Amino acid sequence: MIRLRPGAARGRFRNHWLDARFSFSFGDYQDPAFDGWSDLIVLNDDRVAPGAGFAEHPHRDVEVMSYPIAGAVEHRDSLGHVATMRPGDVHLM
């Protein structure tokens, strides 16, 4: 069953460069009523300040999809690959 969950009802993390909303339990935000949906375990809305971003980190045993809605997002991986995504692009890794 799919349940609608307004943004204000989701988990949230915010600091000086990131404003993130979590649809499911993620990091320090834990909600047993929302621990994923089938194989989908993370559905985050991350708003990243210009020029900022996540430090290098692993994505072990997961597939990641990024879909920017504004601006541009640069992704670098540990193999030296670099991709710049813009609105309308979908990036899978």
Side-chain angles (χ1 to χ4, degrees), residues 16-79:
H16 65 281
W17 65 271
L18 175 66
D19 186 2
R21 298 282 184 161
F22 310 130
S23 296
F24 307 126
S25 294
F26 185 80
D28 291 337
Y29 170 72
Q30 297 296 307
D31 183 342
F34 293 97
D35 273 339
W37 186 66
S38 186
D39 290 336
L40 181 62
I41 58 171
V42 176
L43 181 59
N44 294 351
D45 177 0
D46 294 333
R47 295 170 190 246
V48 181
F54 297 95
E56 188 173 314
H57 59 278
H59 289 152
R60 187 173 170 186
D61 298 326
V62 297
E63 295 183 35
V64 177
M65 183 200 72
S66 299
Y67 181 80
I69 58 172
V73 177
E74 182 178 89
H75 179 263
R76 297 174 178 265
D77 69 18
S78 60
L79 300 174

